[in-house]
Amino acid sequence: MTKRALAALMLAVLAMSPQMLLAQTRRPAQPQQQQQRPAEPAPEPESPAPPYEPQLLQLAEIIGSLAYLRTLCETREAQDWRERMATLLEAEGRSPQRRERLAGAYNRGYRAYSATHRTCSEGSQEASARLAQEGEKLAKALASRFGG
């Protein structure tokens, strides 16, 4: 991870939205009388995950949680979290599998708080502040240890 990408990520760490994964539509079954399409080539094997992958997934989950909580409490930077996750996906989503893991972590964080926080309360605001601190620490640790 380059210092520039990590710096962008750190700026991103401080709120997004749950619709990161595109909904997939199913095609209706085709009659068997039609010709079979040739098999698609097997996807290229994914390169090994970097050593900071667990921390990066944790960071994506925190961003998802903050996206929900900051939107719920209508803070000024609530919409910034979507852009921050997009920046992270652009910098680190080198393969479809990796992008899917990062977006899945974001969505898990978002859903975790949406299941328990329905209105902006003191608890929601406290959780948001705690998550922002945790995300900032994590981003700084990633930048200092793995930044190029």
Side-chain angles (χ1 to χ4, degrees):
M1 179 182 291
T2 66
K3 282 189 178 183
R4 180 172 284 179
L6 213 39
L9 175 63
M10 284 176 45
L11 291 175
V13 166
L14 291 177
M16 278 192 155
S17 182
Q19 309 304 332
M20 290 303 298
L21 295 177
L22 298 175
Q24 295 181 2
T25 57
R26 293 184 180 181
R27 293 183 180 179
Q30 296 179 353
Q32 289 191 9
Q33 294 174 349
Q34 291 182 354
Q35 293 180 350
Q36 295 289 336
R37 293 182 187 184
E40 292 183 22
E44 293 183 28
E46 186 178 6
S47 60
Y52 54 85
E53 183 82 355
Q55 294 91 347
L56 200 61
L57 292 173
Q58 183 182 6
L59 186 59
E61 196 166 328
I62 289 170
I63 292 172
S65 299
L66 285 168
Y68 177 77
L69 291 169
R70 297 282 169 98
T71 301
L72 180 68
C73 292
E74 300 176 355
T75 60
R76 283 183 290 139
E77 87 292 346
Q79 292 298 6
D80 295 347
W81 293 105
R82 178 188 304 264
E83 294 167 13
R84 292 170 178 168
M85 186 62 194
T87 300
L88 176 61
L89 285 171
E90 186 177 314
E92 289 293 326
R94 295 184 194 100
S95 70
Q97 297 88 354
R98 186 116 189 266
R99 290 179 69 84
E100 187 174 319
R101 283 195 307 272
L102 289 167
Y106 171 89
N107 288 333
R108 271 192 311 280
Y110 191 97
R111 282 191 303 263
Y113 282 89
S114 68
T116 56
H117 294 263
R118 303 285 186 205
T119 60
C120 183
S121 64
E122 283 185 36
S124 301
Q125 293 172 351
E126 185 177 324
S128 178
R130 182 182 44 80
L131 285 164
Q133 288 176 342
E134 185 179 342
E136 184 178 10
K137 284 180 191 176
L138 187 56
K140 285 179 179 179
L142 281 166
S144 68
R145 183 162 183 208
F146 299 104

